[in-house]
Amino acid sequence: MKQPLVVLKDVWKIYQMGEVKVPALRGVSVEIHKGDFVAIIGQSGSGKSTMMNMVGCLDMPTKGSVHLKSHNISELSESDLSTMRGKAVGFIFQQYNLIPNMTAFENVMLPLEFLEIDDAEAEKKTIEVLKLVGLENYMHHLPSQLSGGQQQRVSIARSLVTDPEIILADEPTGALDSVTGKEVIETLQRLWREEGKTIIMVTHDLNLAKYAHRHVELKDGKVIDIRENKNMKKGDTK
Amino acid sequence: MKFHKSFRHALNMVLHAKIRSWLTILGIVIGVAAVVAIVSLGEGLKQDMSSQLNMLGGDILTLRAGASRAMMFGPGREFGGSTSASTEEVVLDNKDVQALKSVSDIKAFDTQISGRADIYYVAEKGSATVTGVDPATWAQITTSEVAQGRMLGPADSNVIVVGGRIADGFFKTQLGVNQMLTINERVFRIVGILDDSSSNVYMPINMAYEVLDDKEKGVYDTIVIKVKNEDEVELAMNNTEKRLMLSRHVTEKTKDFSLSSNQQSNEARSEMMSSMTTFLTAIAAVALLVGAVGIANTMFTSVLEKTKEIGIMKAIGARNSDILLIFLMNAALIGFIGGLLGAIFGTILSGLLPSLMGSTADGMLSRLASGSAVSIQSIVVALAVSVFIGMAAGAIPAYQASKLKPVDALRYE
Ligand SMILES: Nc1ncnc2c1ncn2[C@@H]1O[C@H](COP(=O)(O)OP(=O)(O)OP(=O)(O)O)[C@@H](O)[C@H]1O
Ligand SMILES: [Mg+2]
């Protein structure tokens, strides 16, 4: 069988809060394969974001191992981690996290600049992904000149611009109304179906979770359930 | 990230900076402007002085009443006279003149008095240093030269020779030869304009006694002496001193006059000037240092403020070195902009200062007035220094920024 894209093996994350130790993850083991659309669900404080941050190489496990594309992230150098963050994964945040004084275009192109891609190629790619999310007419707007849904689409475009295999979305619709939220989810689903991206999405909205084909449920830092979504099979329509 | 891209991001950061950053830049501007202005003035001064030094023969001695003191200012350039009396007033008078006449090493001497007086041209008024000179010998002894007209001659009485600035810049209209100035209710005709930028007025000493109220007739402030042989100034000085001590009934210990050579006073003056320049430069350097602290402060705040952005950049693939470079260049740019503006202001200031000082004061300051020298070199150095200061001040904040953990940075609000 093919090697999974993401492997979490008995992952612990313990935050030290002064004297007290707060375990955010307590022995999480999950495997995610190429082409999966996984929804991570669970109550607030169950450790969803913590888990997500480790898959995105933003944080390190206290114990256990996280393998991303067969690399143990705890063993990677700082600069390899940067490359991983830039190339292998694309992050979509609840609060969009765009840089305020850069236009949509500049925001989307930024990851390519860190990868030192040639300008001509980078610009071409940037326009391409902005078109993909339907923002070709808003390229030179600042984030403050865009609606929440548009800003989130800019951040989706940014996560796509380096052609990563994995898209990580931490409550991508959390700050949006239900209609706009649905649009964003549908964009993600399209990426999954049509572009073959692997998508990991955190949500506590079960209405949105149903777009994923597998649900991983966390509670108090432990995986309590992994189930397939019968209505949404992998490679369904295509 | 490529270098030019980092540079663009750093520049963008400066351009989008809050007023606070511009105030920081202002700190550097002031520091650099002060340094550039002072260094330029000092440089101009040095050039001016070395040209003066070349111009002045070493054959001039200056005699004053009173115990010896450092002769900082040349003849005719002291502030006020030296008529201050201690218990018994010590003065130079005809007895000394007679004594000098008997010294064989002396070629000629010029008895002088000088003081401040108000001068009027039509309805305008100004204050200048009036020096009364012996019209018979002054032209022969002084190192000044006329640009227009002539020097004073033995037969002159109601005429004056004026410094370059009196003719040009002192009054609204430019003055020429044969124009009239009123000094203490007496009318004088200008016969010569000196080839300098001083605001001194020279007139026959007999007239000066009339014009300068507090001077007692027959008493001189200074006697300027020209020796016969320039190579034997020391000897002439010793002989003159001995002769004067004899006539004034004083010994080496109770000596109540001072005799200095131009060489000496020039050296003393240039020494004082250079230490003054050093002192002012040190003050300006402190201003620059304060500016540097300002940059460091702004950089720390800016890193704090941009924590979230740093987190975002890291989450999308920025290396530590990318962040470091962006912030370091941001600091360098603040320094550069500050340095550039500072150099410009400093240049303007150093051009302005001499004329400001020249019209309100003379004496020593009119030496400054003769100009400043802003060199390309000093501007390049100022820029390099301020860029360096920016980077040095920004180094620690930039390093801190680069070491931020992505999760922590993203969490920051
Ligand atoms: N930096 C931190 N320092 C201390 N405790 C933390 C830190 N980050 C997370 N925690 C704790 O770890 C636990 C899990 O947090 P996490 O953010 O992963 O929850 P979550 O499932 O994403 O919740 P939500 O749905 O509200 O976003 C919480 O109890 C939280 O308080
Ligand atoms: Mg969360």
Side-chain angles (χ1 to χ4, degrees), chain B residues 8 16 18 75 90 96 111 119 128 134 174 199 212 216 218 231 234 311 341 381:
Chain B
R8 241 200 40 219
H16 283 93
K18 304 226 170 94
V90 190
D96 302 292
T111 50
I119 62 176
D134 181 346
Q174 193 164 339
S199 45
L212 301 170
E216 191 185 331
D231 301 329
E234 291 288 312
L341 293 178
V381 169

PDB file of all heavy atoms in Angstrom, chain B residues 8 16 18 75 90 96 111 119 128 134 174 199 212 216 218 231 234 311 341 381:
ATOM      1  N   ARG B   8      12.316  45.312  -1.117  1.00  0.00           N
ATOM      2  CA  ARG B   8      11.030  45.932  -1.425  1.00  0.00           C
ATOM      3  C   ARG B   8      10.073  45.843  -0.245  1.00  0.00           C
ATOM      4  O   ARG B   8       9.356  46.796   0.061  1.00  0.00           O
ATOM      5  CB  ARG B   8      10.419  45.275  -2.652  1.00  0.00           C
ATOM      6  CG  ARG B   8      10.230  46.264  -3.790  1.00  0.00           C
ATOM      7  CD  ARG B   8       9.208  45.772  -4.798  1.00  0.00           C
ATOM      8  NE  ARG B   8       8.080  45.134  -4.143  1.00  0.00           N
ATOM      9  CZ  ARG B   8       7.471  44.053  -4.612  1.00  0.00           C
ATOM     10  NH1 ARG B   8       7.888  43.482  -5.717  1.00  0.00           N
ATOM     11  NH2 ARG B   8       6.442  43.546  -3.975  1.00  0.00           N
ATOM     12  N   HIS B  16       4.817  52.493   4.759  1.00  0.00           N
ATOM     13  CA  HIS B  16       3.541  52.367   5.461  1.00  0.00           C
ATOM     14  C   HIS B  16       3.677  52.652   6.946  1.00  0.00           C
ATOM     15  O   HIS B  16       2.753  52.414   7.717  1.00  0.00           O
ATOM     16  CB  HIS B  16       2.958  50.971   5.259  1.00  0.00           C
ATOM     17  CG  HIS B  16       2.344  50.794   3.913  1.00  0.00           C
ATOM     18  ND1 HIS B  16       3.039  50.291   2.844  1.00  0.00           N
ATOM     19  CD2 HIS B  16       1.110  51.091   3.448  1.00  0.00           C
ATOM     20  CE1 HIS B  16       2.251  50.268   1.784  1.00  0.00           C
ATOM     21  NE2 HIS B  16       1.078  50.745   2.119  1.00  0.00           N
ATOM     22  N   LYS B  18       4.022  54.197  10.622  1.00  0.00           N
ATOM     23  CA  LYS B  18       3.218  55.174  11.366  1.00  0.00           C
ATOM     24  C   LYS B  18       4.059  56.414  11.634  1.00  0.00           C
ATOM     25  O   LYS B  18       5.278  56.417  11.446  1.00  0.00           O
ATOM     26  CB  LYS B  18       2.811  54.560  12.706  1.00  0.00           C
ATOM     27  CG  LYS B  18       2.076  53.242  12.535  1.00  0.00           C
ATOM     28  CD  LYS B  18       0.830  53.209  13.423  1.00  0.00           C
ATOM     29  CE  LYS B  18      -0.039  52.030  13.105  1.00  0.00           C
ATOM     30  NZ  LYS B  18       0.223  50.894  13.946  1.00  0.00           N
ATOM     31  N   PRO B  75      44.873  90.768  16.195  1.00  0.00           N
ATOM     32  CA  PRO B  75      44.732  92.207  16.378  1.00  0.00           C
ATOM     33  C   PRO B  75      43.398  92.690  15.843  1.00  0.00           C
ATOM     34  O   PRO B  75      42.942  92.279  14.794  1.00  0.00           O
ATOM     35  CB  PRO B  75      45.898  92.785  15.572  1.00  0.00           C
ATOM     36  CG  PRO B  75      46.349  91.679  14.685  1.00  0.00           C
ATOM     37  CD  PRO B  75      46.036  90.410  15.394  1.00  0.00           C
ATOM     38  N   VAL B  90      46.491  99.699  34.368  1.00  0.00           N
ATOM     39  CA  VAL B  90      47.676  99.435  33.567  1.00  0.00           C
ATOM     40  C   VAL B  90      47.333  99.743  32.123  1.00  0.00           C
ATOM     41  O   VAL B  90      46.371  99.184  31.595  1.00  0.00           O
ATOM     42  CB  VAL B  90      48.086  97.954  33.688  1.00  0.00           C
ATOM     43  CG1 VAL B  90      49.433  97.744  33.052  1.00  0.00           C
ATOM     44  CG2 VAL B  90      48.084  97.531  35.135  1.00  0.00           C
ATOM     45  N   ASP B  96      55.310 104.067  26.219  1.00  0.00           N
ATOM     46  CA  ASP B  96      55.610 102.811  25.529  1.00  0.00           C
ATOM     47  C   ASP B  96      55.966 103.081  24.078  1.00  0.00           C
ATOM     48  O   ASP B  96      56.832 102.433  23.505  1.00  0.00           O
ATOM     49  CB  ASP B  96      54.405 101.877  25.615  1.00  0.00           C
ATOM     50  CG  ASP B  96      54.037 101.594  27.056  1.00  0.00           C
ATOM     51  OD1 ASP B  96      54.826 100.916  27.725  1.00  0.00           O
ATOM     52  OD2 ASP B  96      52.974 102.087  27.503  1.00  0.00           O
ATOM     53  N   THR B 111      49.573 102.060  16.664  1.00  0.00           N
ATOM     54  CA  THR B 111      48.819 102.136  17.917  1.00  0.00           C
ATOM     55  C   THR B 111      47.338 102.027  17.594  1.00  0.00           C
ATOM     56  O   THR B 111      46.847 102.685  16.674  1.00  0.00           O
ATOM     57  CB  THR B 111      49.086 103.472  18.613  1.00  0.00           C
ATOM     58  OG1 THR B 111      48.902 104.515  17.648  1.00  0.00           O
ATOM     59  CG2 THR B 111      50.490 103.537  19.168  1.00  0.00           C
ATOM     60  N   ILE B 119      26.595 102.093  13.961  1.00  0.00           N
ATOM     61  CA  ILE B 119      26.845 102.797  12.711  1.00  0.00           C
ATOM     62  C   ILE B 119      25.537 102.933  11.949  1.00  0.00           C
ATOM     63  O   ILE B 119      24.675 102.073  12.015  1.00  0.00           O
ATOM     64  CB  ILE B 119      27.915 102.100  11.851  1.00  0.00           C
ATOM     65  CG1 ILE B 119      27.469 100.693  11.435  1.00  0.00           C
ATOM     66  CG2 ILE B 119      29.237 102.022  12.602  1.00  0.00           C
ATOM     67  CD1 ILE B 119      28.463 100.037  10.510  1.00  0.00           C
ATOM     68  N   ALA B 128      28.940  97.640  14.992  1.00  0.00           N
ATOM     69  CA  ALA B 128      30.156  97.099  14.403  1.00  0.00           C
ATOM     70  C   ALA B 128      31.340  97.375  15.326  1.00  0.00           C
ATOM     71  O   ALA B 128      31.241  98.152  16.267  1.00  0.00           O
ATOM     72  CB  ALA B 128      30.400  97.741  13.046  1.00  0.00           C
ATOM     73  N   ASP B 134      46.703 103.864  13.553  1.00  0.00           N
ATOM     74  CA  ASP B 134      47.608 104.946  13.178  1.00  0.00           C
ATOM     75  C   ASP B 134      47.626 105.001  11.660  1.00  0.00           C
ATOM     76  O   ASP B 134      48.126 104.080  11.005  1.00  0.00           O
ATOM     77  CB  ASP B 134      49.002 104.618  13.736  1.00  0.00           C
ATOM     78  CG  ASP B 134      50.000 105.710  13.415  1.00  0.00           C
ATOM     79  OD1 ASP B 134      49.687 106.568  12.555  1.00  0.00           O
ATOM     80  OD2 ASP B 134      51.087 105.679  14.013  1.00  0.00           O
ATOM     81  N   GLN B 174      23.877  97.869  -0.982  1.00  0.00           N
ATOM     82  CA  GLN B 174      25.300  97.585  -1.035  1.00  0.00           C
ATOM     83  C   GLN B 174      26.035  98.932  -1.015  1.00  0.00           C
ATOM     84  O   GLN B 174      25.628  99.876  -1.680  1.00  0.00           O
ATOM     85  CB  GLN B 174      25.594  96.824  -2.324  1.00  0.00           C
ATOM     86  CG  GLN B 174      26.967  96.230  -2.309  1.00  0.00           C
ATOM     87  CD  GLN B 174      27.098  95.169  -3.386  1.00  0.00           C
ATOM     88  OE1 GLN B 174      26.125  94.610  -3.864  1.00  0.00           O
ATOM     89  NE2 GLN B 174      28.322  94.905  -3.771  1.00  0.00           N
ATOM     90  N   SER B 199      33.009  92.578   9.673  1.00  0.00           N
ATOM     91  CA  SER B 199      32.231  93.808   9.783  1.00  0.00           C
ATOM     92  C   SER B 199      32.979  94.780  10.696  1.00  0.00           C
ATOM     93  O   SER B 199      32.452  95.247  11.679  1.00  0.00           O
ATOM     94  CB  SER B 199      30.818  93.515  10.276  1.00  0.00           C
ATOM     95  OG  SER B 199      30.851  92.618  11.341  1.00  0.00           O
ATOM     96  N   LEU B 212      34.568 106.568  20.021  1.00  0.00           N
ATOM     97  CA  LEU B 212      34.430 105.608  21.112  1.00  0.00           C
ATOM     98  C   LEU B 212      34.514 106.372  22.431  1.00  0.00           C
ATOM     99  O   LEU B 212      35.583 106.809  22.839  1.00  0.00           O
ATOM    100  CB  LEU B 212      35.524 104.534  21.026  1.00  0.00           C
ATOM    101  CG  LEU B 212      35.541 103.729  19.718  1.00  0.00           C
ATOM    102  CD1 LEU B 212      36.803 102.876  19.640  1.00  0.00           C
ATOM    103  CD2 LEU B 212      34.308 102.855  19.604  1.00  0.00           C
ATOM    104  N   GLU B 216      40.221 106.801  26.572  1.00  0.00           N
ATOM    105  CA  GLU B 216      40.933 107.989  27.035  1.00  0.00           C
ATOM    106  C   GLU B 216      42.015 108.330  26.024  1.00  0.00           C
ATOM    107  O   GLU B 216      42.751 107.440  25.566  1.00  0.00           O
ATOM    108  CB  GLU B 216      41.567 107.670  28.389  1.00  0.00           C
ATOM    109  CG  GLU B 216      42.115 108.869  29.107  1.00  0.00           C
ATOM    110  CD  GLU B 216      42.826 108.436  30.375  1.00  0.00           C
ATOM    111  OE1 GLU B 216      42.431 107.386  30.953  1.00  0.00           O
ATOM    112  OE2 GLU B 216      43.780 109.124  30.771  1.00  0.00           O
ATOM    113  N   GLY B 218      45.275 109.172  24.195  1.00  0.00           N
ATOM    114  CA  GLY B 218      46.656 108.900  24.550  1.00  0.00           C
ATOM    115  C   GLY B 218      46.862 107.514  25.146  1.00  0.00           C
ATOM    116  O   GLY B 218      47.982 107.116  25.436  1.00  0.00           O
ATOM    117  N   ASP B 231      62.900  86.462  10.149  1.00  0.00           N
ATOM    118  CA  ASP B 231      63.567  85.259  10.668  1.00  0.00           C
ATOM    119  C   ASP B 231      64.040  85.429  12.109  1.00  0.00           C
ATOM    120  O   ASP B 231      64.447  84.466  12.745  1.00  0.00           O
ATOM    121  CB  ASP B 231      64.769  84.898   9.782  1.00  0.00           C
ATOM    122  CG  ASP B 231      64.331  84.651   8.351  1.00  0.00           C
ATOM    123  OD1 ASP B 231      63.173  84.182   8.180  1.00  0.00           O
ATOM    124  OD2 ASP B 231      65.111  84.935   7.422  1.00  0.00           O
ATOM    125  N   GLU B 234      61.867  86.024  17.283  1.00  0.00           N
ATOM    126  CA  GLU B 234      62.133  85.691  18.683  1.00  0.00           C
ATOM    127  C   GLU B 234      63.041  86.733  19.330  1.00  0.00           C
ATOM    128  O   GLU B 234      62.764  87.247  20.407  1.00  0.00           O
ATOM    129  CB  GLU B 234      62.816  84.311  18.777  1.00  0.00           C
ATOM    130  CG  GLU B 234      61.909  83.151  18.401  1.00  0.00           C
ATOM    131  CD  GLU B 234      60.849  82.884  19.457  1.00  0.00           C
ATOM    132  OE1 GLU B 234      61.202  82.816  20.662  1.00  0.00           O
ATOM    133  OE2 GLU B 234      59.654  82.768  19.084  1.00  0.00           O
ATOM    134  N   GLY B 311       4.306  35.912  12.001  1.00  0.00           N
ATOM    135  CA  GLY B 311       3.726  34.567  12.093  1.00  0.00           C
ATOM    136  C   GLY B 311       3.146  34.124  10.761  1.00  0.00           C
ATOM    137  O   GLY B 311       3.371  32.998  10.312  1.00  0.00           O
ATOM    138  N   LEU B 341      18.248  62.936   4.685  1.00  0.00           N
ATOM    139  CA  LEU B 341      17.587  64.198   5.028  1.00  0.00           C
ATOM    140  C   LEU B 341      18.499  65.026   5.927  1.00  0.00           C
ATOM    141  O   LEU B 341      18.603  66.245   5.768  1.00  0.00           O
ATOM    142  CB  LEU B 341      16.254  63.927   5.740  1.00  0.00           C
ATOM    143  CG  LEU B 341      15.167  63.273   4.883  1.00  0.00           C
ATOM    144  CD1 LEU B 341      13.912  63.009   5.709  1.00  0.00           C
ATOM    145  CD2 LEU B 341      14.829  64.153   3.696  1.00  0.00           C
ATOM    146  N   VAL B 381      30.179  59.757   4.396  1.00  0.00           N
ATOM    147  CA  VAL B 381      30.447  59.209   5.724  1.00  0.00           C
ATOM    148  C   VAL B 381      29.186  59.286   6.591  1.00  0.00           C
ATOM    149  O   VAL B 381      28.819  58.319   7.256  1.00  0.00           O
ATOM    150  CB  VAL B 381      31.618  59.956   6.407  1.00  0.00           C
ATOM    151  CG1 VAL B 381      31.724  59.574   7.879  1.00  0.00           C
ATOM    152  CG2 VAL B 381      32.922  59.634   5.695  1.00  0.00           C
TER     153      VAL B 381
END
